[in-house]
Amino acid sequence: MFIQTEATPNPNTLKFLPGREISPGKPREFETAGEAEISPFASDLFLIDGVSTVFLGDDFVAITKTDAVEWDHIKPFLLGAIMDGLQSGRPILGEEADASGHANYEGEAEGVVKEIIELIDTRVRPAVAQDGGDILFHSFIAESGIVRLKMRGACSGCPSSTMTLKAGIENLLKHYVPEVTSVEAVA
């Protein structure tokens, strides 16, 4: 098995491409080893010292490291763990993930929120997945027109994520959904 790696805009995140499906249609992010307990695959990656986040995309794994370690030191261990995990036959996810990952929304602006989520799913998520990340709808404050989004994978903590939010996503949403006035990230 050959696993390609790609740099992402986030210097602490590498994208690993094993040439097979990882979590098709159901991206998952694990920010702690405890969260990763539902994924034997992600749990094994957290055993490597210096791993801070594991993101499972359609056909890639994006791993974020802590500042305390260098890629040269942990990359060989990560490649080995990914290869072993994929060849072991164990499930990547032990329990089914939410189909969309977006927060639920009910209220007067439900139609607006559906438009926002559709734009995020069709225009934004595929683009940021190329950089090893994901963006999910968190909430919409109808009174002020503010859309709040959750950044995951390489997007979380990325130096260019603010530019992506403001110059890219905010302009896109404001163009197609007049009720949107601003976009901001949530932790």
Side-chain angles (χ1 to χ4, degrees):
M1 172 181 278
F2 178 73
I3 301 172
Q4 289 181 286
T5 58
E6 288 181 4
T8 70
N10 184 342
N12 284 339
T13 303
L14 267 181
K15 184 176 173 183
F16 295 82
L17 298 141
R20 62 165 278 193
E21 288 185 336
I22 300 297
S23 186
K26 301 174 189 174
R28 291 296 304 257
E29 181 175 55
F30 303 100
E31 295 178 326
T32 66
E35 286 180 12
E37 289 178 357
I38 65 166
S39 170
F41 180 75
S43 290
D44 288 348
L45 295 171
F46 272 103
L47 294 175
I48 298 167
D49 192 35
V51 171
S52 68
T53 304
V54 175
F55 179 80
L56 307 177
D58 286 349
D59 61 353
F60 68 90
V61 179
I63 298 174
T64 303
K65 68 172 187 66
T66 63
D67 289 331
V69 298
E70 297 298 325
W71 282 119
D72 291 344
H73 297 128
I74 68 168
K75 186 176 170 183
F77 296 106
L78 292 169
L79 287 166
I82 292 169
M83 190 175 304
D84 290 348
L86 295 176
Q87 291 178 339
S88 72
R90 293 186 308 162
I92 291 174
L93 285 170
E95 108 184 4
E96 285 300 310
D98 178 312
S100 74
H102 297 294
N104 293 324
Y105 183 91
E106 294 178 13
E108 289 180 27
E110 194 170 341
V112 171
V113 169
K114 285 181 181 179
E115 284 182 70
I116 292 167
I117 290 173
E118 183 171 334
L119 284 166
I120 291 168
D121 284 346
T122 59
R123 303 264 182 121
V124 176
R125 291 178 87 184
V128 297
Q130 291 177 353
D131 286 333
D134 194 22
I135 297 179
L136 296 176
F137 171 80
H138 178 273
S139 57
F140 176 63
I141 304 167
E143 299 80 34
S144 60
I146 297 173
V147 176
R148 300 176 79 207
L149 302 173
K150 172 132 175 74
M151 313 290 265
R152 302 191 315 173
C155 292
S156 179
C158 176
S160 62
S161 65
T162 302
M163 179 72 132
T164 300
L165 271 178
K166 291 296 179 185
I169 300 167
E170 182 174 287
N171 288 339
L172 173 80
L173 293 179
K174 285 166 72 173
H175 177 77
Y176 287 103
V177 185
E179 292 86 351
V180 173
T181 61
S182 179
V183 174
E184 58 185 45
V186 296

